[in-house]
Amino acid sequence: MGDASTTPATSSEKQRLEALLAHLRGNAEFPALSAQVSRIQVLAGDEQENLHRLAEEILKDVALTQKLLRVVNAAPHVAHRGGVSTVSRALSLIGLDAVRGIAASLVLLEQWKDRAQSQRLREAYARALLAAQMAAELCGQGPEREEVFLAGLFQGLGRMLTECFFPAEAQRIRAEAQGDPAREHAAVLKHLGVGYDALTQAVARDWGFPEALCRAMERPAGPVPPRPPQDRVEWVRWVAAAGTDLADAWLRGASEGSGEGFRRLSARYGHLVNQSSEMVAETARQARSNYLALLEAVDLARSLSAPEWTAWLRSEQTDPLHPVSGTASPAPATPSTDANDDRGGEDDTRSLDLPSGLLTLAQGLQDATAALLEGAPAPLRVELGLETLHRALGVRRTWLVKPGADGVCQACRWLGDGAAKVAPFYRVMASRGASASEDLLATLGRLRKDTRIECTPAAHLVARLPQWYRDRLPRDGVLLVFPLWRGDEWIGWIHADGPAAALPSFGATELALLRAIRHLLTVALKDEHI
């Protein structure tokens, strides 16, 4: 079991919590981690602006982008739609808060990838991920599924923070707990002075987590209610707690060869989700299949070597009520054929790591077409098209530029590292011809063909670039301008620069897909004004 209380009850406990937070803020790693998590959390109030800013923030980190898309594609209800290849599409399918929460948790994992305590953190993260998956399966495919998943994931945040920032205390806690939840709780209070939940809540609020998520990830106190709570957030908290306890019980039962703990907890929590003990066990088996895909998604499959994980990952270890004992060799922690079949035969999401512009364009076209057929709002479809082009070209910065009523063209959307700093200066008077004296960006933006210029062009071309851009011109790669036309109507242009790593390999197929993406983007831009 976890903490029985989430708020320090005495002044000494409050002082201890403040001391822990001071220690965290004084750690050289914590401010950098907090800044990255906070950037993901702190967004403007408008939902469409949120979508753009969150996608922009995540796309700055290629590794985070790939890992997030893997996690999202491991969700069965996403896989049945053919998978997703863009952060914008992930946002539309599972929601802003879910993507924001998953990204924040992955930042924590990535931050300690090469640290001495990374192995313990990976095990703590794997445990939280199992709890989240167990809770989500208990919830089923209802509207609260993503909330339950996040609540289950972050109810394990206190343990992860302790492994990261208080390694000495974490070692003593493990030594005294010996895998027993009650002894672990006592050891946490002894060595930290407060429970995991109090630390979790303090840090979550410090990071700017939404209040609804903070409440959902707060483990409920007291006995399990005799009936499912009518309050939605309260029900989410209890289902998340059930996932955490059942995951811990199955891990411990697998190492001990006993299913009694899992059976007892399934009887305790089953009525909250209208399931018998046998039904909870079947739900757990499904959770295990989906969980193995998640392990692959976050690159944890081969790093779980603790005895309890070795026992739990055995291929025959599929029944929490009757765990397999003995010394059978563990199976590789990869999704089984059945698990893949259950997800609608989805392609291996590891293909998302391939640098191929063809793959990214094809998957992006699928995302954009599906969004159009599903009646997705025009701003989302614009985001899908822009993100697909940005990732497929392998550029560093991308701007979508539109003319205003006053004839001045401005960047209305942007992606990439440093693009936001340039956007406020992006003001170009619309051009109607190719006069040698005109601003080069305005001229290229109205052509009927695409333009590629090396970033170290001839002096006469540099002189025709606006001063604000010349001062920020990248020293490597290329400058790309893609005019946007719909028939005889000019809509604006896409401007990108940087390495453009994938562009040299583009052939006829890639260029055709590029045109299709731009066409859908142009349609979406027109629909924004209808």
Side-chain angles (χ1 to χ4, degrees):
M1 296 289 289
D3 297 341
S5 174
T6 57
T7 304
T10 67
S11 59
S12 62
E13 288 174 333
K14 292 179 181 178
Q15 290 173 0
R16 180 56 183 157
L17 182 57
E18 291 172 359
L20 292 175
L21 289 174
H23 174 86
L24 290 173
R25 292 171 182 139
N27 186 299
E29 305 290 349
F30 188 75
L33 173 65
S34 298
Q36 191 172 4
V37 172
S38 296
R39 283 196 302 270
I40 291 172
Q41 297 301 315
V42 180
L43 301 172
D46 180 74
E47 184 173 346
Q48 293 303 330
E49 178 68 11
N50 280 348
L51 186 151
H52 173 72
R53 290 182 62 194
L54 180 56
E56 176 193 5
E57 185 62 41
I58 292 172
L59 286 166
K60 290 178 183 177
D61 188 328
V62 175
L64 177 62
T65 300
Q66 301 292 1
K67 199 161 283 189
L68 172 68
L69 292 176
R70 284 177 167 186
V71 171
V72 171
N73 277 290
H77 62 296
V78 172
H80 282 309
R81 294 170 178 257
V84 298
S85 66
T86 53
V87 174
S88 302
R89 181 65 170 158
L91 283 162
S92 71
L93 287 179
I94 71 172
L96 186 87
D97 287 340
V99 171
R100 184 166 53 186
I102 292 170
S105 75
L106 291 172
V107 166
L108 179 64
L109 187 64
E110 285 293 298
Q111 184 84 3
W112 262 263
K113 183 168 56 178
D114 301 318
R115 305 299 195 274
Q117 63 268 49
S118 62
Q119 178 60 30
R120 291 296 184 185
L121 174 60
R122 285 196 293 267
E123 290 175 359
Y125 188 86
R127 197 167 175 171
L129 202 60
L130 177 58
Q133 188 64 51
M134 192 81 72
E137 294 300 331
L138 287 171
C139 175
Q141 296 301 325
E144 294 89 1
R145 182 182 177 92
E146 273 74 36
E147 291 179 71
V148 168
F149 181 90
L150 287 181
L153 181 64
F154 284 115
Q155 282 187 7
L157 180 60
R159 183 184 286 118
M160 289 187 277
L161 290 168
T162 303
E163 292 290 351
C164 290
F165 298 103
F166 305 98
E169 288 84 351
Q171 185 176 5
R172 289 193 288 269
I173 291 168
R174 288 193 305 272
E176 294 180 17
Q178 294 296 308
D180 181 82
R183 285 190 290 183
E184 181 183 33
H185 175 54
V188 170
L189 291 176
K190 175 182 175 182
H191 296 291
L192 289 184
V194 297
Y196 279 149
D197 283 334
L199 180 61
T200 294
Q201 288 293 307
V203 172
R205 286 184 166 84
D206 197 55
W207 284 348
F209 276 23
E211 188 60 33
L213 177 57
C214 286
R215 186 183 168 200
M217 60 194 271
E218 183 178 11
R219 187 179 174 89
V224 179
R227 290 179 296 277
Q230 293 299 307
D231 181 84
R232 181 182 59 81
V233 176
E234 190 69 11
W235 182 80
V236 167
R237 293 170 65 201
W238 276 107
V239 176
T244 299
D245 289 351
L246 288 167
D248 286 348
W250 195 359
L251 279 170
R252 189 178 184 194
S255 63
E256 296 176 350
S258 170
E260 184 55 35
F262 189 94
R263 184 183 300 277
R264 184 173 62 254
L265 288 170
S266 62
R268 178 183 300 169
Y269 288 116
H271 67 281
L272 295 178
V273 289
N274 196 28
Q275 294 185 19
S276 65
S277 294
E278 289 70 23
M279 293 169 67
V280 171
E282 179 57 36
T283 298
R285 285 190 282 272
Q286 182 60 48
R288 185 181 191 276
S289 293
N290 293 327
Y291 176 71
L292 294 179
L294 284 177
L295 281 186
E296 284 293 313
V298 293
D299 297 329
L300 288 177
R302 295 167 184 81
S303 63
L304 301 177
S305 56
E308 61 181 8
W309 284 108
T310 301
W312 191 84
L313 289 170
R314 292 172 185 160
S315 59
E316 66 271 31
Q317 196 71 269
T318 58
D319 187 352
L321 297 177
H322 303 93
V324 176
S325 59
T327 57
S329 299
T334 55
S336 65
T337 302
D338 291 340
N340 282 330
D341 290 343
D342 288 341
R343 296 195 308 276
E346 92 181 86
D347 294 334
D348 187 347
T349 55
R350 283 174 293 181
S351 62
L352 291 169
D353 281 337
L354 295 177
S356 166
L358 174 62
L359 177 65
T360 305
L361 284 167
Q363 292 178 324
L365 180 60
Q366 174 183 292
D367 281 357
T369 303
L372 178 63
L373 294 175
E374 292 171 5
L380 170 62
R381 287 153 42 210
V382 173
E383 296 288 343
L384 286 170
L386 190 65
E387 182 185 336
T388 298
L389 292 175
H390 176 78
R391 294 185 59 222
L393 294 169
V395 291
R396 181 175 297 133
R397 306 181 296 187
T398 302
W399 299 271
L400 174 60
V401 185
K402 293 170 61 178
D406 58 356
V408 176
C409 301
Q410 300 184 56
C412 62
R413 289 180 175 87
W414 50 87
L415 290 171
D417 190 15
K421 294 181 179 179
V422 175
F425 302 96
Y426 208 122
R427 296 178 60 85
V428 177
M429 181 57 67
S431 170
R432 297 189 177 275
S435 168
S437 62
E438 289 175 336
D439 184 309
L440 182 61
L441 290 179
T443 300
L444 299 179
R446 289 190 65 97
L447 293 179
R448 287 279 188 170
K449 64 178 182 179
D450 301 336
T451 303
R452 169 178 172 162
I453 300 174
E454 295 297 325
C455 282
T456 54
H460 71 283
L461 291 179
V462 173
R464 292 183 59 196
L465 289 170
Q467 187 63 49
W468 57 263
Y469 185 58
R470 267 184 278 169
D471 294 341
R472 298 166 177 84
L473 191 68
R475 297 179 180 178
D476 59 343
V478 297
L479 182 158
L480 303 169
V481 178
F482 301 129
L484 298 174
W485 291 81
R486 190 174 186 185
D488 293 331
E489 182 179 5
W490 175 63
I491 297 175
W493 67 82
I494 294 172
H495 173 189
D497 62 25
L503 194 60
S505 65
F506 276 19
T509 302
E510 286 87 349
L511 293 175
L513 290 171
L514 186 67
R515 287 193 295 271
I517 289 288
R518 288 167 61 188
H519 174 70
L520 289 175
L521 175 60
T522 304
V523 170
L525 284 169
K526 286 293 296 176
D527 289 347
E528 277 191 311
H529 300 288
I530 294 178

